[in-house]
Amino acid sequence: MAEETKEIRKPLPEITPINQPFWDGAKAGKLMMQKCKDCGTWVFCPRPVCGDCASDKLEWAQLSGRGKIFSFTVIREVVGQALRGFAPDIPYVTAWIDLDEGPRFCSNIIGCAVDKVHIDMPVEVVFEDSGEGVTLPKFRPATS
Ligand SMILES: [Zn+2]
């Protein structure tokens, strides 16, 4: 009996009408985020109303894609079947990035050895095509 092989994939984001502009922006090479027109707060993850003042007057704005690492962790082991798709990437870095415009954003740091990543490291966004119709914003060491 032939052994059945299944392709192991990473989980991808669910695209909804609320978050569609974020993913469309990523596909176009732009880091987009909602901003409240009433109180000026950046809003992420995408939602129908501002998390600070509950206003529904949100607009999409493009960020520079530049920032500094606030904190990070190095993932060295995959635990559980649901995350098996990440095993080929080990070790990899997941980080909180303080974007120059103010909001804090969670992503991966790529394009650099994991032992070179440090807090306050300047980083810039890069866009990675998942091959599954979704482009993921990730960050690398800033080039300038
Ligand atoms: Zn607001």
Side-chain angles (χ1 to χ4, degrees):
M1 191 162 119
E3 189 171 309
E4 184 179 341
T5 53
K6 286 185 180 173
E7 187 178 351
I8 300 168
R9 295 181 179 193
K10 294 177 187 174
L12 287 171
E14 180 184 356
I15 298 178
T16 68
I18 294 290
N19 68 29
Q20 179 90 49
F22 175 83
W23 298 110
D24 287 349
K27 204 171 278 188
K30 298 175 181 177
L31 185 62
M32 303 295 291
M33 195 175 284
Q34 290 172 301
K35 191 170 189 181
C36 178
K37 291 169 88 171
D38 281 336
C39 75
T41 298
W42 289 97
V43 177
F44 196 82
C45 298
R47 60 193 65 166
V49 297
C50 173
D52 268 19
C53 75
S55 169
D56 63 356
K57 295 185 185 73
L58 303 180
E59 62 183 350
W60 285 91
Q62 182 179 355
L63 296 152
S64 68
R66 301 180 64 83
K68 288 185 177 176
I69 295 176
F70 168 73
S71 187
F72 70 97
T73 187
V74 180
I75 309 296
R76 298 182 187 276
E77 186 177 353
V78 169
V79 178
Q81 294 294 307
L83 299 177
R84 281 185 307 160
F86 291 93
D89 298 343
I90 286 177
Y92 66 91
V93 175
T94 296
W96 282 110
I97 297 135
D98 283 341
L99 298 169
D100 284 356
E101 293 83 357
R104 186 165 288 163
F105 191 81
C106 186
S107 184
N108 295 124
I109 306 300
I110 62 172
C112 128
V114 296
D115 62 349
K116 299 295 182 202
V117 175
H118 60 89
I119 288 172
D120 283 338
M121 180 180 193
V123 292
E124 63 189 12
V125 72
V126 288
F127 295 94
E128 189 175 274
D129 184 351
S130 70
E132 304 284 333
V134 177
T135 300
L136 302 168
K138 298 192 175 185
F139 285 77
R140 69 181 176 200
T143 54
S144 56

